[in-house]
Amino acid sequence: MRLTLCLSAAVGGLAVLITTTAAAGDLPHVAIVAAASNTVMEQTNTRYTDVRDKLMATGRFSAVDIFNATRFGPGTPTPAEFAQWDAVIVWSNDSFDDSVAMGNALADYVDGGGGVVVSLFANTSSNTARQLLGRWQEGDYVAIPINLSPGTLGYAQGAGELGAILIPDHPLLEGVSTFITRWGVNSSGIFGGYRPLEMNVTPGSVKVALWNTGHTLVALPPNPRVVELGFHPVSSDVVASAYWDAATDGAVLLANALTYVARSPLPAGDYNCDGQVTNFDIDPFVLALTDAAAYAAAYPGCDLAAVDADGDGVLTNFDIDPFVNLLLGE
């Protein structure tokens, strides 16, 4: 009761109307956030649209947006842009507009409940402009460490296919029975079939599946909102002699990764959107009641409608008792 009275004194008689554009049970709304090509035409460039179209063809997403993360596009999504997506897939084939800003923004997004899938070459390139830097490298978001071997490109090449499955029946591999890469030979030697050169993963990370060459194909870092893939997500429909074979299950693997990390429904009362209801939700709850704009700025990934304590769509003092009951586990 003391907690209820303290909250009542703090919030007065204010009410906040909660609106939402997504109904419960909607398919995930995801995005491609990639430096896939130095172009201003990302909405029609096949290095972006190939992945979008294959993901949409799985029928598992309500929308797949394309965000050009090079200097020819917007660069780095804002918190408001990230907030509309349940998960994003990130990769590079050219330089990010700002690899530090991108790493910081992705870390903030994951901390706010969003999901991130990272694929080549953002997790293998020896070019720092094509890596995810900043806070991304300082937290628990990374499974495949940045390659620091001098004189290397950061990736291996050549023939390859799905090899050892280290965690049988893992949902990331559901429906994945074949995965093969295309590759070719030119005057410089073998090219294509790209995979991480670095064979190890970071402490606390887990390999889910390998290439038949022993390189990492799928890995999980300590952070449960992140999946790393050891292949370039663009298919052989774009580059026939270099990328994963479009006749195999690469699209299923990509879709599995995104749905695996996609923002999960949060419990009622979880006002800091960390997936649980604890005393750490008290201050965000009071802030939401007293200053909706400040709450939105402090918790950009949170949807008030999803965590409303009494479920009536309006945040008022009448939410205090239900919120206290949720805190007490009643």
Side-chain angles (χ1 to χ4, degrees):
M1 181 63 68
R2 182 176 303 163
L3 178 60
T4 301
L5 292 175
C6 289
L7 287 173
S8 295
V11 301
L14 298 177
V16 178
L17 178 65
I18 302 171
T19 61
T20 180
T21 58
D26 280 356
L27 296 173
H29 178 186
V30 302
I32 292 164
V33 178
S37 179
N38 284 331
T39 178
V40 296
M41 304 292 291
E42 67 276 358
Q43 302 302 323
T44 57
N45 186 288
T46 55
R47 288 183 178 272
Y48 290 92
T49 61
D50 177 67
V51 180
R52 179 199 62 193
D53 295 347
K54 285 179 171 53
L55 288 172
M56 286 301 296
T58 68
R60 297 167 63 182
F61 304 99
S62 61
V64 179
D65 296 341
I66 292 175
F67 187 97
N68 185 347
T70 72
R71 62 188 175 90
F72 295 93
T76 302
T78 65
E81 287 170 324
F82 270 121
Q84 67 186 312
W85 301 320
D86 297 308
V88 299
I89 180 169
V90 182
W91 76 87
S92 63
N93 194 50
D94 283 300
S95 297
F96 290 108
D97 177 59
D98 187 329
S99 55
V100 173
M102 180 61 73
N104 290 339
L106 288 169
D108 290 343
Y109 176 58
V110 170
D111 291 349
V116 173
V117 177
V118 182
S119 194
L120 269 66
F121 298 94
N123 54 3
T124 60
S125 179
S126 57
N127 182 343
T128 56
R130 300 185 181 191
Q131 300 168 357
L132 299 175
L133 301 179
R135 283 213 311 119
W136 192 259
Q137 295 297 327
E138 299 165 2
D140 59 355
Y141 315 102
V142 175
I144 301 172
I146 289 179
N147 174 68
L148 298 177
S149 301
T152 68
L153 295 173
Y155 52 83
Q157 303 180 77
E161 60 185 276
L162 176 63
I165 296 175
L166 304 181
I167 305 180
D169 301 320
H170 196 285
L172 284 167
L173 299 175
E174 183 176 355
V176 179
S177 57
T178 62
F179 180 82
I180 300 171
T181 185
R182 300 277 188 90
W183 61 283
V185 178
N186 60 19
S187 58
S188 299
I190 293 173
F191 72 96
Y194 307 105
R195 67 211 70 171
L197 182 65
E198 176 61 62
M199 303 287 278
N200 297 316
V201 292
T202 60
S205 296
V206 177
K207 295 181 182 180
V208 177
L210 304 178
W211 289 86
N212 67 323
T213 55
H215 297 86
T216 302
L217 181 62
V218 183
L220 297 172
N223 195 301
R225 312 291 311 179
V226 182
V227 168
E228 288 208 50
L229 300 176
F231 67 97
H232 194 61
V234 182
S235 80
S236 64
D237 285 343
V238 177
V239 182
S241 58
Y243 296 155
W244 64 270
D245 191 325
T248 62
D249 296 321
V252 176
L253 182 50
L254 291 168
N256 287 350
L258 280 164
T259 55
Y260 184 80
V261 299
R263 196 189 308 273
S264 301
L266 297 171
D270 181 17
Y271 288 94
N272 68 352
C273 297
D274 66 354
Q276 55 190 333
V277 180
T278 68
N279 288 347
F280 292 109
D281 290 294
I282 295 173
D283 286 345
F285 174 71
V286 173
L287 183 63
L289 278 169
T290 57
D291 191 337
Y295 175 86
Y299 303 95
C302 294
D303 177 5
L304 277 175
V307 298
D308 184 34
D310 66 0
D312 68 355
V314 180
L315 192 60
T316 69
N317 286 357
F318 292 109
D319 286 287
I320 295 175
D321 284 344
F323 176 56
V324 172
N325 291 336
L326 290 168
L327 283 172
L328 297 176
E330 298 178 355

